[in-house]
Amino acid sequence: MGRDPRYDILFEPVKIGPVTAKNRFYQVPHCNGMGYRDPTALATMRMIKAEGGWGVVCTEQAEIHPSAEICPYIELRIWDDQDIPMLARIAEGVHRYDALAGLQLCHNGMAAPNFYSREIPMGPADLPVASYTNDPVQARAMDKSDIRNLRRWHRNAALRAKRAGFDIIYVYAGKLLGGPMYFLSRRYNQRTDEYGGSLENRVRLLRELIEETKDAVGDTCAVPCRVSVDELIGEEGLNVAEAQDMIGMLAELPDLWDLTLSGWDNDSQTSRFADEAYQEPFIRGMKQLTTKPVVGVGRFTSPDTMVRMVRQGLMDLIGAARPSIADPFLPNKLAEGREDEIRECIGCNMCVASDFTMSPIRCTQNPSLGEEWRRGWHPERIRAKQSDSRVLIVGSGAAGLEAAMMLGRRGYDLALAEATTILGGRVALERRLPGLGAWGRVADHRIHQISTQPNIEIYRESRLTAEDILGFGFEHVAIATGGIWRRDGVGRRVLKPVPCAGDATVLTPDDLMAGTRPPMGRVLIYDDDHYYMGGVLAELLVQEGYEVTIATPAGDVSNWMHMTMEQHRVQARLIELGVTIRPHRVLAAIKDGAADIACAYTGRIETVEAPSIVVVAGRLPANGLLADLKARQSDWADAGILSVAAIGDALAPGTIAAAVFAGRRYAEDLDAEPVGDAVPFRREIAELTEVEWPAH
Ligand code: ADP
Ligand code: SF4
């Protein structure tokens, strides 16, 4: 099938200074939790994006100097020549598929607490560092020699990036991560010298860095400038009006303008809080300030939106971090007229959470992400089947669907049995909750793919028993029957069932998703899960007219969502909705019409009126079927069964991302040599240097 001519415009080349991108698909810099620790895994991840058709593939920030490093987060470093080989590997990987390799130079300035280097952070003023964790570290105001040093470090880093083979070398002043943004900012820049005060002065450092980078590498490399156009805090912060003046001042200096929102939480908003193209109002008109190409982002997964961005003169290059993570082959699929196969980003920010948890990047939609080198997984390909065994998958949640799709691709004949009428498991239910509609894409993509695979039989309304399965004669059985929310309050904080009066109304998320409702009036949600469910159910119940209190042992609601950069938005939304939030509270007893909640610090009990309680705490694997089958293990051989395995929530309830990963892993491992006690993935161990033991 050929490309739809409507999308031709997306495949036009774009000249960026001395280099030319072969199309408009531009993977902007994005973090990945691998950085300097997992260089070959990182290089392979970038290479696969190039293979998938992205015209430009950039690295995440590469820290230019130990005076600004954001330990514990794992990014790249370009401190000296020792770093060149690892960076060169990334450029080499990207060049293998004819894409341009970009590198984002970064001096984090006063965003960096420097816990690794122990250097004193520097910024425009004497202020506490603006790191994520309120670190007890203060930055010192840079003097003129500090500024000269910074400019020299930046220039030298640019030269190293060029030697490493990069085509595009960034100057970064965005998201309060690129240090020069602190100079641009009126609230941080309190200087009275020629680097402070007027916008002209606040722009000076950025101008110098662009000029000097162009002078150093601009003959063969493009030099983009990445800035933020709004901080979404009104007049106090950088805003569109000032950004327009700034871009107007430097209009023709960089080879490309890369426009973002600041901070990262605003730049990478989730689907719960923002629709595709949410940055459009902020970048409108910016392109008209310069003749240089512009790249912008906005979780673009729809080719029609991308075309509109170009046609309406908003941007020349379609920037993407998350859409390229969820589907590294998005450009090639469009090029080949396979847009219905695009695995659309669901906007959940599990990828972002990887950076915050310092673990190799993962993606709900793309389980191969971060595993391209470690496990040899590919987002599109998987090795052919190694036997004629037939596989039965029980349960069509994220785990079952992914396992079916990938085993189908391997060529196995298989059956997917689902107890209900709807495929998708918990995704099919959770997508109906407030703000989670886009999450349904996890199921939609896989159901569509499976529907095109003739070797997969789907059986709905088929709640299987052990007896059924023993009668079928499949060689391999995957139990993907999901999990069940606990009603007894056991979760993180409380490990014994909470005492409960016999006639109390206690509901779980499963009850609410199945349509059960408490009597109208007051509801207490007890959230010891800390991810999205408690907050989302609070929203749901308020929408339906309930008076909601949410109590949680944590200091804030949906506490883990700091990792997805949504926590503050959840908290704000619940406050705006009139939800009463009771932090630091542990469920102690459920009574008739009331609950005892204990202070998480003192244990002091208070009784709150609660005619109904929704418990969002731990979950249990729905593994009754597995237990029944295990009880009849002696019958397996006669039934022709070679293996039975629980996957996804049926093994241990977790995130949707974990269930998708489990499905993929099951598909990868079927008929593979067991690894036994070996580490189940490749690692890269840094080469040891010659030791000279310090003499004491
Ligand atoms: P996961 O996240 O691990 O994929 P889900 O809870 O999303 O798990 O999906 C589990 C699915 O399994 C649900 O759709 C459920 O209806 C189905 N299921 C549970 N028990 C059976 C069974 N005995 N036979 C067939 N389907 C089942
Ligand atoms: Fe999109 Fe979620 Fe994947 Fe990130 S983890 S790319 S937000 S689907």
Side-chain angles (χ1 to χ4, degrees):
M1 229 191 311
R3 176 169 90 207
D4 185 328
R6 278 183 303 162
Y7 306 137
D8 285 353
I9 193 170
L10 300 174
F11 292 88
E12 291 170 352
V14 179
K15 195 164 160 16
I16 311 173
V19 299
T20 301
K22 66 181 175 189
N23 59 34
R24 297 184 190 269
F25 295 97
Y26 192 109
Q27 183 247 274
V28 292
H30 70 75
C31 299
N32 50 76
M34 298 198 281
Y36 61 80
R37 186 192 55 204
D38 302 301
T40 302
L42 169 53
T44 312
M45 182 266 283
R46 300 290 186 202
M47 179 187 82
I48 299 277
K49 308 246 200 140
E51 186 195 347
W54 296 85
V56 176
V57 177
C58 297
T59 68
E60 69 274 33
Q61 69 162 45
E63 295 163 357
I64 64 168
H65 192 263
S67 61
E69 50 84 16
I70 56 168
C71 169
Y73 307 108
I74 300 171
E75 314 297 328
L76 283 170
R77 291 173 181 160
I78 186 164
W79 290 356
D80 61 24
D81 289 0
Q82 285 188 81
D83 295 313
I84 290 181
M86 120 180 132
L87 298 169
R89 182 163 291 184
I90 301 174
E92 186 192 326
V94 171
H95 287 156
R96 283 170 67 103
Y97 292 95
D98 208 20
L100 296 176
L103 181 136
Q104 182 176 242
L105 294 179
C106 181
H107 189 273
N108 291 110
M110 53 182 295
N114 293 347
F115 287 132
Y116 179 80
S117 70
R118 304 186 75 163
E119 296 295 328
I120 303 292
M122 294 184 289
D126 291 303
L127 282 170
V129 288
S131 55
Y132 287 114
T133 38
N134 297 325
D135 304 303
V137 178
Q138 182 141 332
R140 65 179 176 82
M142 293 168 80
D143 64 19
K144 295 288 172 47
S145 70
D146 294 321
I147 291 176
R148 278 195 300 277
N149 288 342
L150 171 61
R151 289 164 53 190
R152 190 177 61 257
W153 299 331
H154 199 277
R155 182 188 177 92
N156 289 340
L159 289 167
R160 283 194 285 274
K162 180 176 175 178
R163 274 165 49 212
F166 286 89
D167 313 289
I168 297 176
I169 300 174
Y170 265 83
V171 178
Y172 183 33
K175 299 198 255 182
L176 289 176
L177 286 167
M181 183 167 171
Y182 290 92
F183 278 78
L184 292 174
S185 160
R186 272 172 288 125
R187 52 193 176 119
Y188 285 101
N189 185 341
Q190 298 160 7
R191 305 176 73 93
T192 51
D193 64 2
E194 68 266 36
Y195 288 94
S198 66
L199 182 62
E200 180 87 45
N201 283 356
R202 284 181 279 127
V203 160
R204 190 176 310 279
L205 175 61
L206 182 58
R207 180 193 293 281
E208 289 169 347
L209 291 175
I210 300 171
E211 283 170 353
E212 288 159 5
T213 307
K214 284 198 73 168
D215 182 60
V217 300
D219 52 343
T220 58
C221 301
V223 178
C225 177
R226 192 174 207 208
V227 290
S228 293
V229 296
D230 210 303
E231 295 182 84
L232 309 190
I233 52 171
E235 279 298 299
E236 196 197 343
L238 185 70
N239 52 46
V240 165
E242 199 170 37
Q244 279 174 343
D245 291 344
M246 170 184 70
I247 293 172
M249 269 178 197
L250 303 179
E252 302 302 312
L253 201 53
D255 294 316
L256 167 75
W257 283 100
D258 180 335
L259 307 180
T260 62
L261 287 176
S262 180
W264 187 13
D265 59 314
N266 290 327
D267 198 39
S268 295
Q269 293 182 50
T270 60
S271 57
R272 187 167 164 194
F273 294 97
D275 293 330
E276 184 184 36
Y278 53 88
Q279 304 209 6
E280 183 179 345
F282 302 95
I283 62 163
R284 189 168 282 284
M286 297 292 181
K287 206 181 117 50
Q288 284 63 48
L289 303 171
T290 172
T291 65
K292 302 293 171 150
V294 167
V295 60
V297 290
R299 232 179 48 243
F300 298 120
T301 58
S302 148
D304 297 309
T305 310
M306 297 177 196
V307 167
R308 184 172 68 76
M309 290 294 125
V310 178
R311 290 219 186 277
Q312 292 189 350
L314 285 145
M315 57 185 74
D316 303 279
L317 293 143
I318 304 299
R322 291 171 294 176
S324 76
I325 289 169
D327 198 340
F329 276 64
L330 186 154
N332 279 1
K333 287 178 183 175
L334 275 182
E336 293 158 14
R338 297 188 291 129
E339 45 270 25
D340 62 326
E341 293 181 33
I342 291 172
R343 214 169 28 243
E344 286 185 90
C345 167
I346 68 165
C348 65
N349 277 6
M350 282 304 285
C351 49
V352 170
S354 314
D355 197 53
F356 281 101
T357 53
M358 297 136 235
S359 45
I361 191 163
R362 60 208 58 197
C363 168
T364 302
Q365 276 285 53
N366 174 10
S368 71
L369 197 83
E371 304 294 350
E372 299 88 345
W373 178 80
R374 281 210 316 178
R375 296 177 202 261
W377 293 3
H378 189 277
E380 301 301 311
R381 292 190 296 274
I382 185 165
R383 72 187 191 295
K385 66 176 184 177
Q386 281 169 307
S387 73
D388 288 327
S389 298
R390 294 179 319 130
V391 187
L392 171 66
I393 297 170
V394 188
S396 72
L401 286 174
E402 173 73 13
M405 180 175 79
M406 297 314 286
L407 283 171
R409 257 182 224 175
R410 286 188 67 186
Y412 287 95
D413 283 330
L414 58 101
L416 176 65
E418 166 55 47
T420 67
T421 51
I422 302 165
L423 303 182
R426 61 189 267 218
V427 171
L429 298 170
E430 291 182 14
R431 72 186 305 172
R432 303 207 296 253
L433 296 173
L436 303 189
W439 291 24
R441 292 169 177 178
V442 173
D444 294 343
H445 171 73
R446 289 166 177 81
I447 293 166
H448 176 69
Q449 292 293 300
I450 286 171
S451 71
T452 65
Q453 290 170 275
N455 50 336
I456 305 178
E457 306 267 11
I458 299 172
Y459 299 94
R460 291 179 171 82
E461 294 182 272
S462 303
R463 181 173 292 281
L464 301 187
T465 61
E467 189 64 30
D468 296 330
I469 294 170
L470 286 166
F472 288 150
F474 287 92
E475 282 86 354
H476 299 286
V477 181
I479 307 289
T481 46
I484 302 155
W485 287 94
R486 298 180 73 127
R487 202 177 295 274
D488 58 8
V490 173
R492 284 195 165 70
R493 184 66 190 234
V494 178
L495 299 173
K496 293 196 300 227
V498 173
C500 181
D503 41 8
T505 305
V506 183
L507 300 175
T508 69
D510 291 323
D511 298 327
L512 291 179
M513 286 191 285
T516 309
R517 289 292 179 270
M520 283 311 293
R522 292 179 91 173
V523 179
L524 171 70
I525 297 177
Y526 175 64
D527 183 5
D528 195 16
D529 169 61
H530 307 283
Y531 194 16
Y532 54 90
M533 187 56 79
V536 162
L537 292 181
E539 266 189 80
L540 175 80
L541 292 174
V542 170
Q543 279 174 13
E544 294 185 0
Y546 290 88
E547 189 186 328
V548 179
T549 297
I550 185 163
T552 175
D556 45 20
V557 293
S558 301
N559 177 267
W560 195 77
M561 299 189 89
H562 286 285
M563 300 296 145
T564 61
M565 305 192 303
E566 292 168 283
Q567 193 285 326
H568 61 296
R569 290 198 159 84
V570 176
Q571 187 107 9
R573 182 170 282 179
L574 296 193
I575 292 169
E576 295 295 347
L577 288 173
V579 173
T580 304
I581 298 171
R582 302 298 312 272
H584 306 303
R585 291 292 180 278
V586 180
L587 187 61
I590 300 172
K591 300 173 166 173
D592 184 12
D596 284 348
I597 52 175
C599 170
Y601 297 106
T602 65
R604 192 170 300 138
I605 299 273
E606 83 185 278
T607 301
V608 293
E609 193 201 327
S612 318
I613 296 189
V614 177
V615 175
V616 187
R619 292 156 72 202
L620 286 170
N623 53 12
L625 181 59
L626 180 72
D628 292 349
L629 274 172
K630 279 189 176 162
R632 297 191 55 185
Q633 194 152 359
S634 54
D635 299 333
W636 290 7
D638 285 348
I641 294 177
L642 300 175
S643 77
V644 175
I647 60 171
D649 293 340
L651 182 63
T655 60
I656 297 169
V660 173
F661 177 81
R664 174 73 184 243
R665 191 168 183 188
Y666 181 78
E668 290 276 352
D669 288 352
L670 195 77
D671 287 331
E673 277 299 308
V675 296
D677 289 348
V679 177
F681 47 80
R682 282 200 282 186
R683 291 185 299 157
E684 197 157 40
I685 308 288
E687 194 184 336
L688 295 179
T689 55
E690 289 291 314
V691 68
E692 275 181 45
W693 300 109
H696 289 296

